Amino acid sequence: MKLRRRTEFHQIVVQDRGGVRSLSFGDVVQSTMQIDSPSQGGLEYVDFFHMPMILRDRIRRVLFIGLGAGSGPAQFLEDYPDLAIDVVEIDREIVRLASEMFAFEKSSRCHIHVGDGLVFLQQVSRRWDLIIIDAYMIEKGDLVVPRELTTEAFFDLCRSRLSSAGVLVFNSAAAADAPLTREVREALSFIFPSILGFEAMTSDNAVLLASPVSLERRSTRLAQKARERLSSGAIVRRELLRRCRQIHRGLSAGT
């Protein structure tokens, strides 16, 4: 199966290969799913979105900016039954495909908002315990994060929408030593005193965590917290114990 859709924002390709269904923008894969087990087979970098659940005792409200095939929100809905989730996605067709092709099910705990993430944050006054930025576009054939979501002003807005010990997660569509990742880390450092960085091993993705309150940066302590706070099933499924050891020292800073 291969499906193509062109929208105002993306050239979307959905295809099946070897038991895996993928969502791509142009030639760049955004999300994957095992066809016979929809909750499995996501890309590695999404695992790092679970790190705040180890670092913070109480996360009840989560905001995703960027839906893709919905693997991140779907994992959170399955693994953390007490969470309330908001998702902002600019492309209505992406929302439809996530539901129809990637088993992303509507839930009373998950509200989808079709629109621009920056505008959404400007217009609302509520706060979240965790904000996850996972938004991409293709520009001149390359995968990029929209520039307006990488600025110091945007991160200051995000901080104003976080709870007092909240965490911002940013997925950089680039390696840890790439200019984009370094620029984002520098912009974050002007707003957040504590930053923790992880580097995916199977793709060029660096995931940055930022918070106004100190983040633990010792891999052994993170692994211990994972054992204490997550069910054994979640630890095995997300391989978070191994992920705890993928801290990228060059991206971690602060108190």
Side-chain angles (χ1 to χ4, degrees), residues 115-237:
D116 182 279
L118 172 59
V119 174
F120 177 82
L121 283 179
Q122 290 171 333
Q123 293 178 342
V124 301
S125 58
R126 74 192 72 163
R127 290 177 180 246
W128 293 268
D129 305 304
L130 173 59
I131 297 176
I132 298 173
I133 313 298
D134 188 25
Y136 303 100
M137 60 185 293
I138 297 294
E139 189 175 274
K140 297 180 180 178
D142 294 326
L143 183 69
V144 299
V145 179
R147 296 301 298 176
E148 63 269 21
L149 303 185
T150 66
T151 66
E152 185 179 335
F154 174 70
F155 295 138
D156 190 40
L157 175 61
C158 288
R159 178 166 180 170
S160 74
R161 300 295 184 259
L162 282 172
S163 56
S164 59
V167 181
L168 174 70
V169 174
F170 186 98
N171 174 39
S172 171
D177 58 354
L180 171 63
T181 307
R182 294 294 182 180
E183 289 169 12
V184 169
R185 185 224 175 276
E186 182 177 0
L188 284 169
S189 69
F190 285 108
I191 307 301
F192 295 96
S194 189
I195 297 172
L196 182 61
F198 296 90
E199 185 174 22
M201 304 299 291
T202 58
S203 65
D204 284 338
N205 289 88
V207 176
L208 299 169
L209 280 61
S211 178
V213 178
S214 181
L215 294 168
E216 176 62 61
R217 297 193 301 279
R218 294 172 294 177
S219 60
T220 54
R221 180 60 178 151
L222 286 176
Q224 179 182 341
K225 285 179 178 289
R227 293 189 184 96
E228 293 170 352
R229 296 184 179 178
L230 298 178
S231 70
S232 58
I235 290 174
V236 171
R237 186 159 166 263

Side-chain angles (χ1 to χ4, degrees), residues 12 26 44 46 57 94 100 109 127 203 210 212 217 233 251:
I12 304 167
E44 177 194 359
V46 178
D57 293 319
I94 289 290
E100 295 182 2
R109 296 191 292 121
R127 290 177 180 246
S203 65
R217 297 193 301 279
L251 297 176

